[in-house]
Every structure is written in structure tokens, then in C-alpha cells.
Amino acid sequence: MSKRNRPLSIIALASAAMLGGNAAVAQENDGWSGEAAFSAGYTTGNTETTDLGLGIDVAREQGVWTYEFVADGEYGEQDGIESRNRYFLSGDVDRELNEKLFAFGRTSYEVDQFTGFDSRTFVGGGLGYHIYDGEQTKWTVRAGPGVKIDEVKRIISTDSLGAALIIPAETVSSFGAVARSAFAHKLNDNVKFTNETDVLYGETSTQIENMVALTASVSQAISARVSFNVRYDTNPADGFEDTDTALKVALVYGFGQ
């Protein structure tokens, strides 16, 4: 197995394990629920390519505590050359303080081969608030401080005289902050609209991401999803675009709902 295919292979194995194990767990009503998605997309920005993706999102509620794990990856080639290779992992622990307010801790790790960063890591926490928490409409916001670690890639370019200019790789640790808004509304019994916005602030750069999606039930466990994602980097490395967009269609398997 080549190194470039390992991230998606790992996520694929994790998805299979989650689907097999957690579906059974969910049937025992112990609080596990979630989904696994297989997607195909078209990305523009730093790369213009079609790609395939795998993702899982599982959560468990246990009293006032909620535990959530997310893993997703995307891989694509154009004319036999790798043109997309990204994976993302995150873990959250929420502790309800009252009906509306909760505290959370979060860690996330991202690798995207087609940006100016080898990896981006965040560890932090803060407070969240359930603006709406009904059967038809849910809207939750959260924000808090933390530490952001950016692994900046080495950059090779030329100066004004045409001589080689090498900017060495570096690791930048700085104060960071995270903010998230997650909105979901059921248009009817079978169709749901979602809008999710994430902001990850750091000294080196700040990433802002927004995804809108429509999800339609095909059966009790299977859904189809169409989504549009915009990612913006406030300070991309030299030679990289600040905005990426992705249009995706996905087949989603849900359990424990």
C-alpha cells in the first residue's frame, strides 16, 4: 500500500469497524448514534479535481456527558497524478450545565497535502449554547480558546534576481480559538437542511469553513446528500489560493437515530 493511500485506507477500516460495532451497540440502546458517508465531489481552488471521500461521525450521550468522534478523508487523482489528499480527525467532550448551556473540550488534527501546511492541530475548550433544540429545528453554537499548532511546509521560490530562495519548514505554536455554528431544520419527514460554520483562529492563519447540505431519506437507514462546502484561509502560504470550494454527493448510512 502506498503512503498516499494510507489515510483513506485507515478511515475506511475505521468506518467498517464503526458500522459493524456501533450499529450493534446502538441496537442495545446504550446511547451511541451516528453516520458513515461515502461521497464523490468536485473541488476547485488549490486543486481542480474530482475526488472520493469517506467519513464517520459517531456520538454517545451518557447522562450530562456527550462524546463525539469525527473522521473523514478525501483522495483524488487527475491524469494519474495525485491532486487531492486530505484527512481530518476530531474529538469533542460536552458537559451539560443546564438545559441550554454546556461546556466542551475539543481536539482536532488536519493534514492537507495541497496547502502550505503539513498539518494543523488544535487543543482547547469553551462554552456552548443550544439556541433551538426542538424536534424540527436545532441550532447550537460554541466558542472557546486553546492552542493551535501549525506545521508550515518548506517553500522553495526565487528572489528578484532569479536566485533560489528557500524558506525552511517551521512549527508555529500560538494562542488559538475555535467557534462553531451547527443549524439543522427538517423540511419534512424525509428531507433535512443543514448549515455548519467552523472558524479556527491562529497566529499563522485562520481557517473559515461553511457547508450547506440537503439530506433526503431513501430508507430507514440510508440517505442521499448533496452539499456545497467553502473553505477560506486568511493567510495562505505563497503560491496557494485562499479559497477552496467542493460540491459533493454522498450516500449516508445512519444508525441509532
Side-chain angles (χ1 to χ4, degrees):
M1 180 188 301
S2 65
K3 289 184 178 179
R4 68 184 185 185
N5 289 329
R6 286 177 183 171
L8 283 183
S9 299
I10 292 171
I11 292 172
L13 291 173
S15 300
M18 288 292 183
L19 286 175
N22 286 328
V25 172
Q27 292 175 358
E28 297 174 2
N29 297 317
D30 71 348
W32 282 103
S33 63
E35 64 177 39
F38 175 74
S39 64
Y42 177 69
T43 302
T44 64
N46 283 294
T47 60
E48 187 167 329
T49 181
T50 55
D51 53 65
L52 298 177
L54 290 170
I56 59 173
D57 183 347
V58 293
R60 182 181 186 183
E61 295 183 8
Q62 196 169 33
V64 296
W65 296 91
T66 300
Y67 308 92
E68 183 177 15
F69 173 73
V70 174
D72 64 64
E74 300 153 1
Y75 181 80
E77 292 185 353
Q78 190 166 9
D79 298 326
I81 300 174
E82 181 181 273
S83 56
R84 181 71 168 159
N85 190 342
R86 173 187 177 269
Y87 62 94
F88 174 83
L89 304 169
S90 71
D92 290 270
V93 178
D94 298 351
R95 207 281 186 187
E96 298 292 336
L97 302 177
N98 57 42
E99 278 191 5
K100 294 285 189 178
L101 188 67
F102 64 93
F104 73 92
R106 177 176 177 81
T107 182
S108 64
Y109 178 74
E110 180 186 25
V111 171
D112 190 337
Q113 298 297 331
F114 293 89
T115 65
F117 299 86
D118 281 323
S119 67
R120 290 161 167 160
T121 303
F122 176 82
V123 179
L127 293 174
Y129 189 78
H130 300 294
I131 298 175
Y132 295 109
D133 193 17
E135 286 296 320
Q136 188 173 14
T137 303
K138 296 181 183 293
W139 186 13
T140 299
V141 295
R142 64 179 70 204
V147 176
K148 188 167 184 280
I149 303 171
D150 291 316
E151 297 280 352
V152 185
K153 287 182 177 180
R154 183 181 68 166
I155 298 175
I156 302 176
S157 61
T158 57
D159 61 18
S160 59
L161 299 176
L165 179 64
I166 299 177
I167 302 174
E170 62 175 332
T171 300
V172 180
S173 299
S174 65
F175 167 80
V178 66
R180 176 174 172 80
S181 168
F183 176 84
H185 178 71
K186 290 184 178 179
L187 301 177
N188 54 49
D189 290 341
N190 297 315
V191 180
K192 180 171 68 173
F193 169 82
T194 55
N195 188 346
E196 299 177 354
T197 303
D198 291 276
V199 179
L200 183 57
Y201 167 82
E203 180 181 308
T204 304
S205 67
T206 297
Q207 290 77 53
I208 303 170
E209 181 174 1
N210 180 255
M211 182 181 75
V212 294
L214 277 177
T215 304
S217 300
V218 177
S219 67
Q220 184 174 357
I222 303 297
S223 300
R225 176 177 296 157
V226 178
S227 64
F228 183 72
N229 180 288
V230 178
R231 292 164 56 86
Y232 176 73
D233 194 322
T234 60
N235 186 29
D238 291 342
F240 291 91
E241 299 287 337
D242 58 10
T243 304
D244 289 310
T245 65
L247 178 64
K248 297 181 180 181
V249 293
L251 189 64
V252 182
Y253 173 75
F255 57 89
Q257 305 296 328

Short mmCIF file of all heavy atoms in Angstrom, two decimals, residues 12 78 124 138 163 176 192 236 252:
data_model
loop_
_atom_site.label_atom_id
_atom_site.label_comp_id
_atom_site.label_asym_id
_atom_site.label_seq_id
_atom_site.Cartn_x
_atom_site.Cartn_y
_atom_site.Cartn_z
N ALA A 12 -11.29 4.03 6.06
CA ALA A 12 -12.20 3.00 5.56
C ALA A 12 -12.32 1.86 6.57
O ALA A 12 -13.42 1.37 6.85
CB ALA A 12 -11.71 2.47 4.22
N GLN A 78 -5.74 13.17 -10.99
CA GLN A 78 -6.06 13.74 -12.30
C GLN A 78 -4.95 13.36 -13.26
O GLN A 78 -3.78 13.67 -13.02
CB GLN A 78 -6.20 15.25 -12.21
CG GLN A 78 -6.77 15.88 -13.47
CD GLN A 78 -7.21 17.32 -13.24
OE1 GLN A 78 -6.95 17.90 -12.20
NE2 GLN A 78 -7.89 17.88 -14.22
N GLY A 124 -8.30 22.69 22.84
CA GLY A 124 -8.89 23.78 23.62
C GLY A 124 -10.27 23.41 24.13
O GLY A 124 -10.66 22.23 24.18
N LYS A 138 -32.94 22.53 15.14
CA LYS A 138 -31.86 22.53 16.14
C LYS A 138 -30.79 23.52 15.70
O LYS A 138 -30.41 23.57 14.54
CB LYS A 138 -31.24 21.13 16.29
CG LYS A 138 -32.19 20.08 16.83
CD LYS A 138 -31.49 18.74 16.97
CE LYS A 138 -32.46 17.65 17.44
NZ LYS A 138 -32.93 17.89 18.81
N ALA A 163 17.56 34.03 -8.21
CA ALA A 163 18.29 33.05 -7.40
C ALA A 163 17.32 32.26 -6.54
O ALA A 163 16.25 32.76 -6.15
CB ALA A 163 19.32 33.75 -6.52
N GLY A 176 -4.88 30.10 20.15
CA GLY A 176 -5.88 29.80 19.15
C GLY A 176 -7.27 29.94 19.73
O GLY A 176 -7.46 30.13 20.94
N LYS A 192 -33.92 17.03 5.19
CA LYS A 192 -33.35 17.90 6.22
C LYS A 192 -32.33 18.86 5.59
O LYS A 192 -31.52 18.46 4.75
CB LYS A 192 -32.67 17.07 7.31
CG LYS A 192 -32.05 17.89 8.43
CD LYS A 192 -31.58 17.02 9.58
CE LYS A 192 -30.40 16.16 9.19
NZ LYS A 192 -29.83 15.43 10.36
N PRO A 236 -2.87 32.29 3.35
CA PRO A 236 -2.28 31.10 2.73
C PRO A 236 -0.81 31.31 2.43
O PRO A 236 -0.33 32.44 2.27
CB PRO A 236 -3.09 30.96 1.43
CG PRO A 236 -3.51 32.36 1.11
CD PRO A 236 -3.76 33.02 2.44
N VAL A 252 -25.32 8.02 2.58
CA VAL A 252 -25.13 8.09 4.02
C VAL A 252 -25.86 6.94 4.71
O VAL A 252 -27.04 6.68 4.44
CB VAL A 252 -25.65 9.43 4.59
CG1 VAL A 252 -25.39 9.52 6.09
CG2 VAL A 252 -24.99 10.60 3.86
#
